[in-house]
Amino acid sequence: MVLLKTQPRLDGSDIPGSEITPQSTYRNRREILAAAAKAGIIGSLAAGGLFSMTGKASAKALSGSKSAFSTTEPLTRQKDITSYNNFYEFGTDKSDPVANAGSLVTSPWTVEIGGACANPMKVSLDSLMAMAPLEERIYRMRCVEGWSMVIPWMGLPLAAILKKAQPTSAAKFVAFTSLADPKQMPGIKEKVLQYPYVEGLRIDEAMNPLSLLAVGLYGETLPNQNGAPVRLVAPWKYGFKGIKSIVKISFVETMPPTSWNRYAPREYGFYSNVNPEVDHPRWSQKTERRIGEFTRRQTLAFNGYGEQVASLYSGMDLMKLF
Ligand SMILES: Nc1nc2c(c(=O)[nH]1)N[C@H]1C(S)=C(S)[C@@H](COP(=O)(O)O)O[C@H]1N2
Ligand SMILES: [Mo]
């Protein structure tokens, strides 16, 4: 993310030039998959990998209902979404996660949901996915470094999952924890951040309909480098809130620690709402470069999701509570 040794290249000069946006290809493919599903042959097609766009044998096709929260903006190329990543457990360069995350074992996978709730549970990924309807949500995503993407996530509404655990009135925040296994994650030994990576949301933020537990993108299970098998997506916040490879979700009474706040509290606050009016101490947040584009664009308050989330922060001084 944002270390002195890896200063973000705000001009995006490290990003390969755009090719044709594969949006139409993707949409065609979805229609083919839908037709295949109707004909009852989707399982065998998916298992045979005939439709895999990543070439990864492990990628499985996912389908879900289209969400009304989706943007209609052109999608970022699948290749860019899956090869330009921040996942420090696999190294600090944008190209490290795709190169190194093959060693992450995502099956079997268990997510523990506990803390201040009446129905704590430890569930397999399959059980988790059975707890809520899968949706496709095309979200704008904005990294604190100044780049953005439009990503077609497949995911479960976080609120639906959290409600199954029946949080008590003591549950004021939700704390998330990533896997931290140095045997699978070679970047951990570099000790750039403290591991496990941790993140948190206020309970009302977590329950907001925009909050998503993503399990896939571009109609397939998540590639490891994007946080397989399950990661958080909160599109009105900077990318680092989107904690990857989640093993634990916990209801807590006080504001939980978060990885980047711990690393540099002056630079990264708990809330981390996208806000063009609050500069990062080392650079402006007023504009961003959409990966695949050349002209910088204005960054929008709450990344353009103000209608859904601005009321969560009414009365708060967002200059101080950044
Ligand atoms: N566990 C973990 N989660 C993480 C990170 C990380 O280093 N470790 N990086 C964050 C940052 S800075 C960003 S911008 C997003 C990037 O997600 P993407 O690679 O899927 O675009 O993941 C976030 N989640
Ligand atoms: Mo980020």
Side-chain angles (χ1 to χ4, degrees):
M1 204 177 68
V2 190
L3 294 169
L4 289 166
K5 79 170 167 107
T6 50
Q7 279 290 357
R9 283 164 242 186
L10 291 178
D11 63 348
S13 58
D14 49 345
I15 299 165
S18 167
E19 288 161 27
I20 299 161
T21 302
Q23 194 179 9
S24 56
T25 316
Y26 170 60
R27 295 219 156 115
N28 280 338
R29 179 173 163 274
R30 282 198 305 181
E31 275 148 31
I32 294 165
L33 284 171
K38 254 193 197 149
I41 52 174
I42 188 152
S44 54
L45 284 176
L50 285 176
F51 281 74
S52 173
M53 290 177 74
T54 57
K56 283 259 170 73
S58 57
K60 274 192 291 196
L62 294 173
S63 61
S65 60
K66 291 180 189 182
S67 166
F69 291 122
S70 289
T71 173
T72 54
E73 289 162 276
L75 305 180
T76 301
R77 294 191 310 169
Q78 186 179 25
K79 188 171 179 297
D80 289 334
I81 299 173
T82 59
S83 62
Y84 188 79
N85 303 99
N86 276 326
F87 200 166
Y88 275 28
E89 290 89 329
F90 294 99
T92 56
D93 287 345
K94 297 284 174 289
S95 55
D96 285 339
V98 65
N100 300 330
S103 52
L104 177 66
V105 178
T106 59
S107 177
W109 191 270
T110 306
V111 178
E112 183 184 346
I113 307 181
C117 62
N119 185 30
M121 57 182 97
K122 278 186 185 172
V123 292
S124 67
L125 187 75
D126 285 344
S127 306
L128 188 81
M129 287 181 64
M131 283 162 61
L134 199 56
E135 291 183 21
E136 184 196 61
R137 300 259 186 108
I138 303 172
Y139 279 161
R140 283 182 294 279
M141 305 298 298
R142 169 66 155 79
C143 176
V144 76
E145 294 168 31
W147 45 272
S148 64
M149 300 191 188
V150 176
I151 303 186
W153 298 110
M154 301 293 301
L156 316 160
L158 179 60
I161 304 285
L162 296 182
K163 280 174 191 158
K164 301 261 175 182
Q166 299 169 29
T168 68
S169 57
K172 302 285 196 285
F173 294 88
V174 183
F176 300 85
T177 308
S178 291
L179 179 73
D181 179 357
K183 288 198 240 48
Q184 301 178 50
M185 299 169 140
I188 284 185
K189 64 176 181 313
E190 290 172 33
K191 294 202 168 84
V192 177
L193 295 174
Q194 277 181 55
Y195 297 103
Y197 194 100
V198 288
E199 257 304 339
L201 296 172
R202 218 170 53 192
I203 187 86
D204 57 342
E205 296 179 315
M207 292 293 188
N208 186 274
L210 283 182
S211 295
L212 196 70
L213 280 181
V215 296
L217 63 81
Y218 265 105
E220 292 179 346
T221 48
L222 281 179
N224 290 353
Q225 61 271 27
N226 291 91
V230 56
R231 57 89 56 81
L232 179 66
V233 176
W236 70 100
K237 293 178 178 285
Y238 290 117
F240 62 86
K241 298 297 281 185
I243 182 171
K244 294 177 166 178
S245 305
I246 296 169
V247 292
K248 194 171 164 197
I249 300 175
S250 195
F251 297 100
V252 294
E253 186 141 27
T254 54
M255 188 180 277
T258 64
S259 284
W260 282 97
N261 178 257
R262 227 181 218 165
Y263 176 83
R266 231 174 50 80
E267 303 191 358
Y268 311 107
F270 175 82
Y271 288 96
S272 301
N273 293 318
V274 174
N275 190 344
E277 304 306 321
V278 178
D279 288 341
H280 185 280
R282 290 185 275 134
W283 60 84
S284 163
Q285 292 290 22
K286 286 203 164 25
T287 66
E288 67 199 57
R289 199 180 89 90
R290 186 68 55 84
I291 300 300
E293 293 181 356
F294 296 95
T295 318
R296 295 186 71 85
R297 45 167 84 212
Q298 296 299 122
T299 286
L300 305 173
F302 300 112
N303 202 24
Y305 295 99
E307 202 180 310
Q308 286 83 16
V309 300
S311 63
L312 296 172
Y313 310 102
S314 60
M316 282 172 57
D317 181 350
L318 298 181
M319 303 298 285
K320 292 207 179 94
L321 296 168
F322 56 86

